[in-house]
Amino acid sequence: MPRFSPCGENRIGLRHKVRAPPMSFPLRQRLREGNPVEFGATYDGSGVNFAVFSANATAVDICLFDQDGKTETDRIRLPEYTDQVFHGWIPDLHPGQLYGLRVHGAYEPEAGHRFNPNKLLLDPYARGHLGNLEWNPALFGYQLGHPDLDLSFDEQDSAPFIPKCIIPPPSERKNKPLKIRWSDTVIYETHVKGFTQNNPLVPDNLRGTYAGLCHHSVLDYIKSLGVSSIELLPIQSFVNPQSLIEKGLTNYWGYNTIGFFSPDTRYAANHTDPAAEFREMVARYHDANLEVIMDVVYNHTAEGNELGPTLSFKGLDNASYYRLIPDNFRYYINDTGTGNTFNLNTLHVIQFVADSLRYWAEEMGVDGFRFDLGSILAREKNGFDRQAGFLRVCRQDPTLAHLKLIAEPWDIGPGGYQVGNFPPSWAEWNDQFRDTVRDFWRGEARAAALAPRILGSPDLFNHSGRQAWASVNFITAHDGFTLKDCVSYNNKHNDTNGEDGKDGSDNNRSCNYGTEGPTDDKSINALRWRQCRNMLATLLFSQGTPMLLAGDEFGRTQNGNNNAYCQDNDISWVNWKTEEEGESLKTFTQRMLSLRKRFPILRRSRFLTEAYNKELDIKELTWISANGMEMMQEEWDHAQCFGLMLDGRAQPSGIRQRGEDATLFMVLNSWTDSVEFTLPEADGGAWKLLLDTNRPNAGDDIEKDIFEQKIDFTVTDRSVLLFELLRS
């Protein structure tokens, strides 16, 4: 790939000179070289240091704007170039000053270069943006409608239509991550706007904002559930695609990032300082002993493919920031399905991503990250590599190594499905848990399939010293049906998305139990609510790290839409007007989370084993059939009702000694009829019923809920039971 030295204008650059306002005399007289190590704009009390990476540009201009961002008031060319970084120190600039970049170089798309100084660019390291992107032909580096498409060159100035970067105040380091143990972690996935937009307890002016999300009523509610961590859908500055705007829709989920250091102003009550508001939100969560995890998108940007706009990286150094087709640099590798793929094989791009992550951790106090399409971050030239450069950086970095790092371990690229293959210290979304649990409760899977999922999926994760918490178990997430919809619809209903029902998965593994959507049939509704309880109980009583989707605890619905990415409305917003059964489900969820916290045997870090431990004279776990005896091999492939006994004396760590936890016995019956189940014999006293999904209040009666060993217990159809072994 051709490289260009920053020693003058290229052929096309000379032909298309950009008229600039004259540089003011005081600035020209006092301009200094600055330093190349502090990327972005750094205020030092008397001026600002700028540093911009580009391996292929010939020059970089800093463009200053007035307070409303409408008029360019000055343009200063960075005077020095060191180690592929343009840099300079400009006097008399202060926090709050608006700026953008213009970058000079070759416009040769077939060689991978798309420099066009007519396009104002966002600084990748900008801590904040003012204004919103306005779609206009001037945003594109080529002439829309030209027969040569992106090979043409556009001379329109894009500055009026693009947000302006804001010089930030000196760094603040107020918050420190909580460092809640993985074994104590329960994740609650939600959306900043959607969680509070319809919440009557949040003041109107704070709904849908960072400030609203940390309102005391919200914090009290989340604490009352018993979760430990919230996971926020993307909040880094993102772009609403023109195609959605034309349909009257929006990019609600936010997976279209353009500002990786900037909190999106859409979610700020105070638009003048979103960063301060976000930082305060994190601090309030920490005060409540709750973690904040960010869903981040470092696999692609909002600039799309060769026909997309030029907003930042494409105009800064297209050939460095993006993965291009090896034998045709005009086109982009599209392992993301969005048009482009960030190039994590380039040293400076890895540094950029690591710098961004450290910023959110060190200056904002964020406790961890969930990486969208995480397999891309570990894809080297020869495919997925557990020793990829980015993964090595995360593991050795003194800040990142101590955070919660969660991969979505799949993408659409070659070898993209990598569940269980990330290296030690990483956790991963486990879609096999989701699919198997859904299948089991709708009668399409048997005990043999569900058993390893209950144990933290050791078949996938028990290697390289990884522990059970590495499996992030979930039944629902933002992408797909909600829990209530999973038991109410056989098919997706995405008509309002404007894609003729072609979007969203057709593999929902759901069941409507006789009627599609809402019904007045009491028997169907009763079964649906019980199935919700069954799936939640399976999730919360399994080894691994559970993740709940916000609103599932009381039966939130999206009316059958399983791809609500573009629905910034009541379809996606949490409806806090819950029905009576929903309130009952919420209470039941709180109870299950309380039991999970009360009994450490339900959340062990070590993988439990069914092998007999001769030294300690125990079996950590035993699978039980309906006759109360250990399951026989021939029963596994057809059993729909089975039990699991977890011995509280199981070795809790690598130290060879017995544990002192309670012994628990769980029964799962997905069969459509009741089963007479013999309670197993164990080393202790009677069995105390703690929970029965068929009877939400079961376990409250101290006398009636005590059962002797080896007696028959009627397990209702489609239900989960949990017993505690009382000490003799």
Side-chain angles (χ1 to χ4, degrees), residues 93 104 191 219 238 274 285 314 324 471 481:
L93 298 185
H104 302 258
H191 186 284
L219 289 172
F238 61 90
Y285 272 82
K314 187 179 289 185
L324 307 178
S471 174
F481 279 154

Side-chain angles (χ1 to χ4, degrees), residues 348-629:
H348 275 284
V349 179
I350 292 178
Q351 180 181 0
F352 167 74
V353 173
D355 287 348
S356 173
L357 294 171
R358 277 192 298 270
Y359 167 75
W360 292 101
E362 295 177 350
E363 299 192 26
M364 297 297 193
V366 167
D367 302 279
F369 303 95
R370 179 266 188 188
F371 293 85
D372 180 63
L373 301 183
S375 298
I376 287 173
L377 308 180
R379 181 171 286 119
E380 300 286 335
K381 293 181 179 179
N382 296 322
F384 181 87
D385 187 347
R386 297 176 74 237
Q387 295 298 319
F390 175 71
L391 300 185
R392 292 203 303 268
V393 166
C394 289
R395 193 167 186 185
Q396 62 79 42
D397 187 279
T399 295
L400 304 183
H402 297 287
L403 301 178
K404 286 187 166 72
L405 304 179
I406 305 169
E408 181 186 37
W410 51 76
D411 61 56
I412 65 171
Y417 188 77
Q418 294 294 333
V419 173
N421 289 331
F422 272 71
S425 77
W426 282 76
E428 304 172 38
W429 273 26
N430 186 354
D431 64 330
Q432 294 191 34
F433 182 94
R434 174 198 64 198
D435 294 349
T436 304
V437 171
R438 289 190 183 191
D439 280 349
F440 179 79
W441 287 110
R442 68 192 183 108
E444 297 295 327
R446 301 295 183 262
L450 186 62
R453 306 300 153 239
I454 294 174
L455 298 182
S457 297
D459 55 326
L460 300 173
F461 295 97
N462 191 8
H463 61 81
S464 307
R466 301 185 77 182
Q467 297 192 315
W469 55 256
S471 174
V472 176
N473 302 328
F474 66 104
I475 299 169
T476 58
H478 66 275
D479 187 0
F481 279 154
T482 65
L483 183 64
K484 184 66 182 301
D485 288 354
C486 195
V487 298
S488 303
Y489 296 91
N490 283 350
N491 305 300
K492 64 187 180 184
H493 296 267
N494 298 352
D495 296 340
T496 55
N497 289 2
E499 299 183 43
D500 299 322
K502 296 177 181 178
D503 66 303
S505 175
D506 293 314
N507 185 26
N508 294 295
R509 301 172 189 264
S510 59
C511 183
N512 65 22
Y513 300 100
T515 300
E516 187 76 353
T519 179
D520 293 327
D521 189 306
K522 293 183 179 180
S523 62
I524 292 177
N525 284 328
L527 177 55
R528 287 176 175 179
W529 287 110
R530 187 159 77 249
Q531 290 289 60
C532 286
R533 292 192 291 271
N534 288 334
M535 286 192 276
L536 286 173
T538 309
L539 172 68
L540 297 176
F541 295 159
S542 291
Q543 305 295 315
T545 303
M547 184 183 78
L548 286 166
L549 175 64
D552 274 356
E553 70 272 15
F554 51 75
R556 182 176 77 89
T557 178
Q558 292 182 166
N559 304 319
N561 191 318
N562 74 350
N563 189 34
Y565 75 102
C566 56
Q567 300 294 336
D568 189 4
N569 50 49
D570 286 333
I571 291 176
S572 295
W573 301 340
V574 174
N575 181 4
W576 294 95
K577 297 178 181 178
T578 57
E579 50 193 317
E580 182 179 349
E581 293 89 344
E583 285 297 314
S584 176
L585 181 63
K586 182 183 73 175
T587 301
F588 197 75
T589 302
Q590 292 170 319
R591 185 175 181 179
M592 288 186 287
L593 282 164
S594 178
L595 290 171
R596 180 180 176 88
K597 184 176 182 179
R598 175 181 165 190
F599 296 110
I601 193 67
L602 293 173
R603 47 186 174 83
R604 285 289 183 88
S605 292
R606 291 180 70 249
F607 286 99
L608 296 169
T609 177
E610 53 192 298
Y612 172 67
N613 187 324
K614 184 176 181 180
E615 182 180 349
L616 301 181
D617 189 28
I618 57 171
K619 286 189 68 173
E620 295 184 340
L621 66 92
T622 306
W623 301 104
I624 306 294
S625 63
N627 62 13
M629 306 299 290

